[in-house]
Amino acid sequence: MPSLHSMTSGTPGRLIISFAFPLMLGNLFQQFYTIADAAIVGQVLGVQAIAAVGAAEWIIWMMQGMIQGFTQGFAIQMSQDFGAGKYRQLRNVIVNSAFLSAVCACILLAGGQLLAGWMLKMLHTPDSVWADTMLYMRTMFLGIPVITAFNLCASILRSLGDGKTPLYAMVCASLVNIGLDLLFVPVLHWGVFGAAIATVMAQCCSFFICLLKIIHIEILKITKEDCGISARLDLRLMTLGMPMAFQNFIISIGGMIVQSVVNGFGVAFIAGFTATNKLYGMLEVAGTSYGFAMTTYTGQNLGAGQLSRIRKGYRDALVIALFTSIIIAAVMIFAGKQILLCFINGDAKTTADTLAIAYRYLFIMSVCLPVLYYLHVTRSCIQGLGNTVLPMVSGFAEFGMRTAAALYLPVLLGQDGIFYAEIAAWAGADLVLFFSFLFCMNQMKQSVKN
């Protein structure tokens, strides 16, 4: 098992960094999907087109977030079985996870296509971008089975301590995506449809790379005895995955409420807001990577009965994450305008107005970035302990704070008030997670005593 790594021994901080770094690079390349789409669409097709892509942002995130929630939840059980050395049980978990993932993908694909028009209507999408937004969104929904397959394969590998293969997959997929974007949009003139289909085809590449790796892992050689579908195990997996998927669903509903408010401010504001949202993934890329690392680290150590290492690993991860967030914030504050110009094109006045909106939003998020990084590390640690309900409660807190801020702050502060909706959401979740972590640590301490 040369590419698999146990996190049950060794220095926690070093293990977390070594595991998170490939994930960070992989997530970074994954962001090139959306960044390439936005940059090429914005530069070639203009502000109107990037507004069309941005109008569907939270709907697409909702679908992808639910998929990721399910597969990450399934991976919690995988990491615990791997840490305990229960390889036969691990294989059965993977088979049942694949079955459940296929069911979820079919439901989300059908639901997305049927409700696409209704969702855009609820978001008050402007008539001027409706047709392009609908085309972009429907095309992205066609890729749901592929996105589900990739997320499941990546979650399997990460649960076993392999963060490098998903990295290689994302590097390859990003290059394919950028190449196809450049072919489909400026050369073949396929517009926003070209940007969407390029992303779907790139995801196919990342899935096949991860699948090829899984096939060659000896302990994952599936036999006939491993293929039983167990209702009891499926219930356990859904108990882990459903709260995480629902958490992302609730968060996305709050995001859609924000988007509906933004859509009422005009195309220039939508374009500026979208340009910064395209960098959102870059802002949190390290945070999500530390989160993945903490889920695997906590799950493996819990499975191995190494409970004393969990608190030490959490402290180390938190210090590392907060330090990283400060560095990223500084880069965005000083170089943000130059980066944002990659997404914005038009006449001088339109460009200046859109850039001013985008940078104000980017500055506010960058200054408050440590709040988001605390969220990722703490939530993931709790999930690694097998408790996905309390993190779901934090998702409700995010929803409540984001919605309240989106509805009331623009009334008090004008258009700029909408920029604080994300910050309010992070802070609300952090408050819940702080007490949730103390509760989980106390429970773990009591279990050791008993």
Side-chain angles (χ1 to χ4, degrees):
M1 298 184 292
S3 63
L4 308 184
H5 299 285
S6 172
M7 302 179 78
T8 57
S9 62
T11 306
R14 187 176 300 169
L15 286 168
I16 290 165
I17 290 176
S18 64
F19 184 81
F21 187 69
L23 296 181
M24 213 176 294
L25 293 177
N27 287 337
L28 193 62
F29 276 98
Q30 188 172 24
Q31 295 307 315
F32 287 166
Y33 282 149
T34 54
I35 288 177
D37 286 345
I40 294 170
V41 167
Q43 291 296 323
V44 176
L45 303 177
V47 169
Q48 192 87 2
I50 195 173
V53 172
E57 189 90 34
W58 273 104
I59 299 175
I60 294 169
W61 190 94
M62 176 183 70
M63 293 296 187
Q64 294 177 343
M66 290 178 69
I67 290 166
Q68 193 174 71
F70 279 118
T71 55
Q72 281 183 324
F74 302 158
I76 292 171
Q77 186 63 50
M78 296 176 202
S79 64
Q80 291 178 4
D81 289 338
F82 178 70
K86 299 177 181 178
Y87 300 143
R88 183 172 180 178
Q89 185 170 309
L90 170 64
R91 292 191 293 271
N92 189 232
V93 168
I94 290 173
V95 169
N96 280 265
S97 297
F99 168 72
L100 293 173
S101 296
V103 173
C104 292
C106 290
I107 293 172
L108 290 174
L109 174 58
Q113 295 293 354
L114 288 172
L115 299 175
W118 176 80
M119 287 188 283
L120 287 187
K121 186 177 180 181
M122 290 298 100
L123 292 181
H124 305 117
T125 304
D127 292 340
S128 59
V129 300
W130 179 283
D132 279 345
T133 301
M134 179 67 79
L135 178 61
Y136 182 81
M137 189 168 65
R138 285 194 183 279
T139 306
M140 290 292 287
F141 284 169
L142 289 176
I144 284 176
V146 177
I147 294 170
T148 304
F150 165 70
N151 274 278
L152 177 62
C153 289
S155 293
I156 292 170
L157 292 169
R158 288 166 183 154
S159 70
L160 274 57
D162 180 2
K164 291 183 179 179
T165 302
L167 163 62
Y168 302 147
M170 294 314 305
V171 170
C172 178
S174 296
L175 295 175
V176 170
N177 187 57
I178 293 170
L180 292 177
D181 271 334
L182 292 172
L183 173 64
F184 293 160
V185 179
V187 177
L188 298 181
H189 306 290
W190 286 3
V192 296
F193 168 76
I197 201 67
T199 300
V200 173
M201 293 175 70
Q203 282 279 13
C204 288
C205 294
S206 60
F207 160 60
F208 283 118
I209 290 171
C210 289
L211 179 62
L212 190 63
K213 175 64 176 181
I214 289 172
I215 291 172
H216 289 88
I217 296 176
E218 190 62 34
I219 64 170
L220 298 186
K221 298 289 184 182
I222 304 295
T223 65
K224 186 177 180 180
E225 290 74 20
D226 302 321
C227 292
I229 301 299
S230 165
R232 183 176 180 180
L233 178 57
D234 287 348
L235 180 61
R236 164 65 179 163
L237 291 173
M238 290 302 289
T239 300
L240 292 170
M242 183 67 80
M244 295 180 70
F246 191 66
Q247 164 194 311
N248 287 342
F249 172 77
I250 289 298
I251 291 170
S252 67
I253 294 297
M256 286 188 217
I257 292 173
V258 172
Q259 189 68 55
S260 70
V261 175
V262 170
N263 287 350
F265 292 152
V267 171
F269 195 93
I270 297 172
F273 193 83
T274 299
T276 294
N277 269 342
K278 292 299 180 183
L279 289 181
Y280 195 148
M282 301 291 285
L283 288 172
E284 69 171 351
V285 65
T288 56
S289 300
Y290 292 136
F292 279 127
M294 276 308 298
T295 301
T296 300
Y297 173 88
T298 306
Q300 286 193 14
N301 280 282
L302 183 64
Q306 300 281 354
L307 304 183
S308 61
R309 288 174 53 82
I310 294 175
R311 187 184 292 273
K312 177 66 166 62
Y314 170 75
R315 287 198 300 266
D316 289 356
L318 199 57
V319 171
I320 295 165
L322 294 178
F323 179 73
T324 305
S325 70
I326 293 171
I327 294 175
I328 294 173
V331 171
M332 289 298 173
I333 288 171
F334 289 107
K337 288 185 178 179
Q338 288 71 27
I339 298 172
L340 288 168
L341 281 172
C342 296
F343 308 104
I344 301 169
N345 189 26
D347 59 75
K349 184 179 186 310
T350 300
T351 298
D353 291 345
T354 305
L355 179 61
I357 293 165
Y359 183 71
R360 284 201 301 276
Y361 186 26
L362 179 62
F363 181 87
I364 291 167
M365 284 210 294
S366 297
V367 169
C368 299
L369 202 57
V371 180
L372 177 61
Y373 274 55
Y374 176 87
L375 184 157
H376 279 300
V377 172
T378 307
R379 176 180 282 167
S380 298
C381 183
I382 295 170
Q383 289 168 342
L385 289 169
N387 187 328
T388 56
V389 174
L390 289 175
M392 180 183 70
V393 174
S394 74
F396 277 101
E398 277 195 63
F399 167 77
M401 294 296 288
R402 182 179 284 115
T403 301
L407 294 177
Y408 295 111
L409 289 184
V411 176
L412 299 174
L413 305 176
Q415 290 182 340
D416 284 8
I418 198 70
F419 298 150
Y420 295 94
E422 283 302 299
I423 313 306
W426 302 344
D430 280 358
L431 184 63
V432 173
L433 291 170
F434 174 79
F435 290 105
S436 297
F437 180 76
L438 294 179
F439 172 77
C440 289
M441 288 296 102
N442 184 61
Q443 270 199 330
M444 192 171 68
K445 188 186 298 183
Q446 294 299 322
S447 69
V448 172
K449 289 180 179 178
N450 296 332

